Amino acid sequence: MVGAGALGSWVGAQLSHSGVDTTLVARGAHGAAMAAGGLTIIGPEADRSFRISPTVVSTVGDAIDATSPPFDAILVTVKSWASATVGAEIRSAGGASGPVISLQNGVGNEAMLAAALGGRAPEPLSERAVGVCASVGSGSVTVGVSVERPGVVAASPGGGVGLARDAAGADIIADRLAAAGVPVVWSDDARTLKWSKLLLNMLGAATTAIVDRPPVDILARRDIFAIEVRAWRETLAVMHDLGIGTMDLPGYHVTRLAAAVRWAPVAVLHRLFAARLARARGERMPGVGTDLRARRSTSEIEAMHGAVAAVAAAHGMHAPTCRVLSSLVLGLADGSMDRAAFAGRPEALLAAVDAGRGSPEQAQPEQVHGDR
């Protein structure tokens, strides 16, 4: 498991608990705590909680040296902005003797990893985000996880793992996850899998980060919820034009939700879904927001809203809401925008999005339908 933060630790723990010899590549306080005292998983029910004592190392090279015989697969769970670095690290350590599977959030990570593994320059985001990568497998995780404290990871109820059927080694991973009681679904199309998960990752990610307030506060507001709906509609329009479908993922009826978002008025959507989403997300900040709070100058928003905007622009489409949200997050991350101007001020976010989107005439019909 390369990048054993909350997500990688949880997946690695499930595999280890089912009998798989698993090595976690983790750094910082969490990695040190796991190496010294093991990893505790707090499940939604008592029988889903357990403790393991995994092999924990700080580099991919150390993982390769510590594994005999060679590992069967590398599962990557780092943030999207670290994909190229991790791919280069794997390559410099001697390359992957087994398949590489990305379980990362966002789109385009597989192509970034493949380029780095092969020593090539990455394609532009607008190309890699919609391509199918044969050399790196695709997967997604819909279980909400968080590091409660170093060495302890908590998991929310529901969710599971999605895997692309053509990913080498995925059948073994699926069997072991299923043995650990984790729901697994298969997809015949990696693009459908990753973009369906992208839709889920987008909900509340940018707006909560910009205003620096948890989802339970932000999603309760209908005007902010309307921004989320517009971003989804732009993404669905891009997916439609590129022939990318949707699929249901463990715990989430993505296809049904996408159909509702396409056509239902915002007021109806807010009444039906906002409170449910707010409860599910609660006080836990999405990764984009935690990165901003940690003062990181990079953000995985580039593989989410930023990717949608880049793909749209490259194919002659418009995704103004996604473009503005991505620009705002990146500006706050690199310090070119004043965080105090947005923190706790939803009205500042609304004004910035309205100004950045331009006039209604610039939006495509899919983006404005139902905005009442």
Side-chain angles (χ1 to χ4, degrees), residues 10 14-15 17-18 45 47-48 50 143 158-161 174-184:
W10 182 85
Q14 303 305 317
L15 292 170
H17 198 50
S18 72
E45 299 91 22
D47 62 350
R48 299 292 295 159
F50 57 90
V143 178
V161 175
D175 288 345
R176 299 319 302 165
L177 288 172
V182 177
V184 177

Side-chain angles (χ1 to χ4, degrees), residues 61-146:
D62 290 341
I64 293 173
D65 292 341
T67 307
S68 180
F71 47 82
D72 297 303
I74 294 178
L75 303 185
V76 179
T77 52
V78 297
K79 294 291 183 72
S80 59
W81 42 264
S83 293
T85 300
V86 162
E89 187 178 344
I90 295 171
R91 184 170 184 266
S92 66
S97 63
V100 177
I101 300 176
S102 166
L103 299 179
Q104 300 159 275
N105 292 331
V107 292
N109 292 301
E110 291 84 353
M112 285 284 285
L113 287 167
L117 286 168
R120 307 186 309 275
E123 298 174 330
L125 175 59
S126 59
E127 296 177 18
R128 67 177 184 261
V130 296
V132 175
C133 183
S135 59
V136 177
S138 296
S140 65
V141 181
T142 58
V143 178
V145 292
S146 61

Side-chain angles (χ1 to χ4, degrees), residues 14-366:
Q14 303 305 317
L15 292 170
S16 179
H17 198 50
S18 72
V20 176
D21 183 7
T22 307
T23 299
L24 307 183
V25 180
R27 297 164 184 152
H30 182 56
M34 290 192 295
L39 168 62
T40 298
I41 299 295
I42 301 175
E45 299 91 22
D47 62 350
R48 299 292 295 159
S49 299
F50 57 90
R51 182 180 175 278
I52 63 170
S53 298
T55 300
V56 182
V57 297
S58 60
T59 71
V60 173
D62 290 341
I64 293 173
D65 292 341
T67 307
S68 180
F71 47 82
D72 297 303
I74 294 178
L75 303 185
V76 179
T77 52
V78 297
K79 294 291 183 72
S80 59
W81 42 264
S83 293
T85 300
V86 162
E89 187 178 344
I90 295 171
R91 184 170 184 266
S92 66
S97 63
V100 177
I101 300 176
S102 166
L103 299 179
Q104 300 159 275
N105 292 331
V107 292
N109 292 301
E110 291 84 353
M112 285 284 285
L113 287 167
L117 286 168
R120 307 186 309 275
E123 298 174 330
L125 175 59
S126 59
E127 296 177 18
R128 67 177 184 261
V130 296
V132 175
C133 183
S135 59
V136 177
S138 296
S140 65
V141 181
T142 58
V143 178
V145 292
S146 61
V147 176
E148 294 294 287
R149 59 184 183 276
V152 179
V153 171
S156 301
V161 175
L163 291 166
R165 199 175 295 279
D166 61 354
D171 53 344
I172 299 174
I173 302 299
D175 288 345
R176 299 319 302 165
L177 288 172
V182 177
V184 177
V185 299
W186 289 100
S187 173
D188 292 325
D189 181 4
R191 298 193 311 168
T192 294
L193 172 66
K194 299 299 282 194
W195 280 74
S196 293
K197 178 64 190 313
L198 171 66
L199 289 167
L200 297 179
N201 288 136
M202 289 173 64
L203 284 170
T207 54
T208 57
I210 294 165
V211 183
D212 195 24
R213 290 294 182 274
V216 69
D217 294 341
I218 292 300
L219 295 176
R221 293 185 51 134
R222 196 169 90 181
D223 49 4
I224 301 295
F225 186 79
I227 294 176
E228 302 289 348
V229 171
R230 290 200 295 268
W232 253 54
R233 286 177 176 159
E234 292 172 6
T235 305
L236 289 168
V238 169
M239 292 170 66
H240 178 268
D241 281 13
L242 296 177
I244 302 173
T246 59
M247 63 175 286
D248 291 339
L249 295 169
Y252 296 89
H253 298 288
V254 180
T255 297
R256 188 186 309 168
L257 182 57
V261 169
R262 280 189 179 99
W263 302 110
V266 169
V268 173
L269 293 170
H270 187 259
R271 188 163 59 249
L272 290 175
F273 300 116
R276 197 178 312 169
L277 288 170
R279 284 195 302 272
R281 295 283 180 122
E283 296 286 341
R284 183 172 59 88
M285 289 288 286
V288 175
T290 58
D291 283 346
L292 273 183
R293 285 183 172 182
R295 300 286 172 176
R296 293 191 176 96
S297 59
T298 51
S299 174
E300 62 181 348
I301 199 73
E302 291 184 277
M304 297 164 57
H305 298 73
V308 175
V311 171
H315 290 82
M317 293 176 279
H318 299 284
T321 306
C322 289
R323 174 178 50 78
V324 173
L325 290 174
S326 178
S327 296
L328 288 173
V329 172
L330 292 175
L332 294 171
D334 66 20
S336 60
M337 300 189 70
D338 182 12
R339 297 187 184 206
F342 291 92
R345 300 186 60 215
E347 67 278 2
L349 168 62
L350 291 165
V353 171
D354 286 342
R357 289 181 75 236
S359 64
E361 290 76 17
Q362 292 177 299
Q364 294 183 346
E366 293 91 343

